[in-house]
Amino acid sequence: MQEFDFDLQSIQAARELARRGKVAANQIAHYSEEQIDRILRNMVEAAEANAEVLAQMAVEETGFGVVCDKVYKNHMASGLLYEQIRDKKTIGIIEVDEKKQTIVLAEPVGLLMGIVPSTNPTSTVLYKSMIAIKARNSIVFSPHPAAAKCTAMAIKIMNDAAVEAGAPENVIQGISLSTMAATNELMHSPEVAMIIATGGPGMVKAAYSSGKPALGVGAGNSPAYIERTADVPAAVRRIMASKTFDNGTICASEQSVICETCNRDAVVAEFTRQGAYFLNEEECRKVCTLLFRNGHAMSPKFVGRSAQVIADAAGISVPAGTRVLIGEQHGVGDAWPLSYEKLTSVLAFYTVDNWEEACDLSIALLQNGIGHTMSIHTESKDIVRKFSIKPASRILINTGGTQGGTGLSTGLDIALTLGCGTWGGSSISENVGPEHLINVKRVANGLIEPVELVAHDELFAKYHPELAKKHGACAPVSAAAPSEPKGVSGITYSAGCGCCAPNASAPVSDGERKSDVIDAEELKRMVEELVNAFKGV
């Protein structure tokens, strides 16, 4: 029997995953809200029961982050996420406009491909599985090779829980023979309808270049501005809580701190009091040599590491209990490596004279993580207004970047895929949820006869009276001119439910069928026929 090399085996395995995933997608597309909710609740129970095991596996396999923080990430991506999305309309009729006689319906996208980063290898699987199922899609994951085992375990846990609650077999799958060839094969698979890309810039770019619709995110390089009116102890506490959470592995975490000359001493003293260590010039050079390779590309060896681990590797003596290393910078760009993204326990530090300088510096820093996140600590509403125009999709006020950007400490949607808008080359600028994983279609009832458009258009008559007059003369004369546009009354259909209409169960007579008025029951029948036509039933 002929043996194939590993790449060829992985490609064949990827094709089989896609085919099985497509079968599952076709099946789950017909599930009701009740069925989907039952599946999601079982997935949450399984995720929460295994949150600690998955967190431990992730840290052991990758070396990134902190176990207790990864437990909370897993909780966020399952229990907290479910509470947020449980009542979102992603199935069937999601909106009705009785005046305009339109109905908006949600249909699933189909088979999704989810790319998983090594920084959040289990929580990303939980999160993307939940939002995929909520929108009645199946999903197949491409794990990062450095986190293949823990990612595979998360996939199995979520799929087993979904199937146990009634989902189709293979509704959640993942590549087991992890190669770039397999990932590329999935990206270009005809069965895959959409890609959700979370990972390095190269992987996200590949997803957008695949020819498939893709939801991707760019790099984060979030500055945190401590403005002169800020409560300094509170601001530092929030920044430290954010940057130390899972050792800074979430892309919304702060990468630079900007303070003003007038509050610099207070800010430095407070950071020191709360466990930060300010590097001198030589120490900063040593740390940068460890953190970056080929200029400002972050070395995987020091992603998600504690301040103590980094200091020890750099041969630097720091006080016991040091939580974050801070290096002062005097510019942005290649000569100042800490001005770039650092998904670890290290911050850049800048001092400016006023908010105008802070504004210019923030924009310069954001060019290396444009469209992602910025945070401001201030008591001035005017400053908030001035900084709200910065090129970032999330402007966070008086909160930590990690917790605020992901929706944990703000009113933003809970998410682990954070859109960067066109600034960052992303197709969306908000936090990704199940509403982004549906096809939205509209059923529109005719309100005006096409040949009578000009006669009903008073605005056209205002701007083009002679043409309106001419068209009016050419228009056919109706046997009985209606007192209002045809088909604009009689509908009392309620969004998401056909049983709510007062006359939904009443029989419809032949006379009523021949009328121009469409009642709720007939409109419901028309919608069902249209849905079946789309499905090829």
Side-chain angles (χ1 to χ4, degrees):
M1 180 175 172
Q2 185 178 7
E3 290 188 8
F4 297 99
D5 63 31
F6 190 76
D7 277 359
L8 290 177
Q9 291 180 54
S10 71
I11 290 171
Q12 182 59 40
R15 289 175 179 171
E16 292 172 0
L17 286 174
R19 290 166 187 155
R20 292 197 296 264
K22 180 61 175 174
V23 171
N26 291 341
Q27 293 172 334
I28 200 169
H30 301 283
Y31 279 37
S32 67
E33 286 186 1
E34 291 75 16
Q35 288 174 299
I36 292 297
D37 192 62
R38 181 166 60 250
I39 293 167
L40 287 174
R41 282 188 277 111
N42 207 49
M43 290 168 67
V44 168
E45 292 299 321
E48 294 283 18
N50 290 278
E52 294 183 32
V53 172
L54 291 174
Q56 186 69 48
M57 286 183 67
V59 172
E60 289 177 356
E61 186 173 5
T62 67
F64 302 164
V66 181
V67 172
C68 62
D69 292 340
K70 287 192 182 294
V71 172
Y72 199 83
K73 275 187 186 178
N74 291 336
H75 165 65
M76 160 196 169
S78 52
L80 292 182
L81 178 65
Y82 172 73
E83 293 302 319
Q84 176 186 279
I85 67 175
R86 61 188 300 177
D87 295 324
K88 284 191 175 183
K89 298 295 297 181
T90 56
I91 297 174
I93 294 174
I94 58 177
E95 183 183 335
V96 171
D97 189 322
E98 296 188 10
K99 182 178 180 181
K100 292 183 179 180
Q101 295 281 280
T102 57
I103 298 177
V104 181
L105 302 104
E107 289 290 334
V109 167
L111 174 61
L112 306 174
M113 176 185 178
I115 298 173
V116 185
S118 56
T119 48
N120 306 303
T122 61
S123 52
T124 297
V125 169
L126 308 186
Y127 154 69
K128 289 183 179 178
S129 296
M130 293 284 292
I131 61 175
I133 297 296
K134 175 64 176 175
R136 292 187 299 173
N137 300 303
S138 60
I139 188 166
V140 57
F141 287 102
S142 173
H144 192 286
K149 291 180 181 178
C150 61
T151 301
M153 179 60 72
I155 293 168
K156 184 179 188 308
I157 288 168
M158 294 306 268
N159 185 69
D160 288 352
V163 172
E164 182 184 56
E169 294 287 340
N170 306 309
V171 72
I172 301 167
Q173 303 178 92
I175 294 174
S176 56
L177 302 178
S178 187
T179 65
M180 285 301 297
T183 298
N184 187 63
E185 184 69 24
L186 268 184
M187 282 186 178
H188 295 87
S189 167
E191 290 85 2
V192 170
M194 178 183 282
I195 302 169
I196 317 176
T198 309
M203 186 63 75
V204 172
K205 183 178 180 180
Y208 275 121
S209 302
S210 68
K212 298 290 178 70
L215 300 177
V217 297
N221 194 35
S222 175
Y225 174 34
I226 304 178
E227 192 261 342
R228 63 182 59 196
T229 66
D231 179 337
V232 171
V236 171
R237 183 176 65 250
R238 293 161 184 154
I239 293 170
M240 291 290 282
S242 171
K243 192 60 176 173
T244 58
F245 183 83
D246 207 30
N247 287 341
T249 52
I250 285 185
C251 51
S253 64
E254 293 82 354
Q255 304 301 316
S256 302
V257 173
I258 304 169
C259 68
E260 297 189 42
T261 304
C262 62
N263 65 6
R264 173 190 165 90
D265 289 347
V267 170
V268 170
E270 193 60 37
F271 265 113
T272 303
R273 191 184 71 80
Q274 294 194 32
Y277 177 78
F278 282 81
L279 303 164
N280 63 34
E281 189 173 335
E282 177 60 20
E283 290 170 337
C284 190
R285 185 192 64 76
K286 289 180 178 179
V287 167
C288 288
T289 300
L290 285 178
L291 294 188
F292 302 104
R293 58 187 188 183
N294 302 323
H296 50 78
M298 181 79 188
S299 169
K301 188 176 180 180
F302 293 100
V303 169
R305 302 292 178 166
S306 70
Q308 189 66 59
V309 166
I310 296 170
D312 289 346
I316 297 170
S317 177
V318 299
T322 295
R323 302 165 65 202
V324 170
L325 303 179
I326 299 180
E328 187 153 17
Q329 305 287 281
H330 301 284
V332 176
D334 292 342
W336 306 98
L338 293 187
S339 66
Y340 291 90
E341 183 182 52
K342 308 161 291 296
L343 296 180
T344 196
S345 307
V346 179
L347 283 168
F349 189 81
Y350 294 90
T351 304
V352 298
D353 287 334
N354 49 50
W355 74 263
E356 289 93 346
E357 289 186 15
C359 173
D360 293 340
L361 177 57
S362 296
I363 291 174
L365 289 165
L366 284 168
Q367 297 310 304
N368 299 319
I370 194 164
H372 206 291
T373 304
M374 176 178 183
S375 56
I376 307 164
H377 300 268
T378 181
E379 297 301 318
S380 169
K381 292 182 180 179
D382 187 49
I383 288 294
V384 172
R385 284 191 291 270
K386 286 181 169 67
F387 276 77
S388 66
I389 64 172
K390 298 297 171 286
S393 299
R394 281 154 291 277
I395 306 291
L396 308 175
I397 312 302
N398 296 328
T399 192
T402 293
Q403 295 84 355
T406 56
L408 289 171
S409 65
T410 61
L412 300 179
D413 285 349
I414 289 174
L416 286 169
T417 299
L418 313 180
C420 298
T422 55
W423 298 297
S426 179
S427 59
I428 59 169
S429 57
E430 61 266 32
N431 291 8
V432 175
E435 65 272 22
H436 300 106
L437 307 181
I438 57 174
N439 283 312
V440 176
K441 60 188 179 185
R442 290 164 176 83
V443 178
N445 188 40
L447 303 179
I448 303 172
E449 287 296 330
V451 295
E452 297 176 1
L453 287 176
V454 173
H456 284 285
D457 194 336
E458 295 179 0
L459 195 61
F460 185 78
K462 173 184 175 182
Y463 287 107
H464 310 281
E466 294 302 319
L467 284 174
K469 192 176 189 180
K470 179 180 177 181
H471 277 288
C474 296
V477 179
S478 301
S483 57
E484 62 179 39
K486 294 181 179 181
V488 298
S489 62
I491 293 181
T492 54
Y493 204 76
S494 298
C497 179
C499 62
C500 300
N503 60 343
S505 59
V508 181
S509 68
D510 290 339
E512 289 174 321
R513 288 289 187 204
K514 294 175 182 177
S515 162
D516 286 326
V517 176
I518 300 176
D519 67 9
E521 187 64 29
E522 184 170 1
L523 185 61
K524 182 180 178 182
R525 179 182 59 78
M526 292 169 63
V527 170
E528 290 174 348
E529 289 176 358
L530 184 62
V531 171
N532 289 334
F534 269 94
K535 294 177 178 177
V537 178

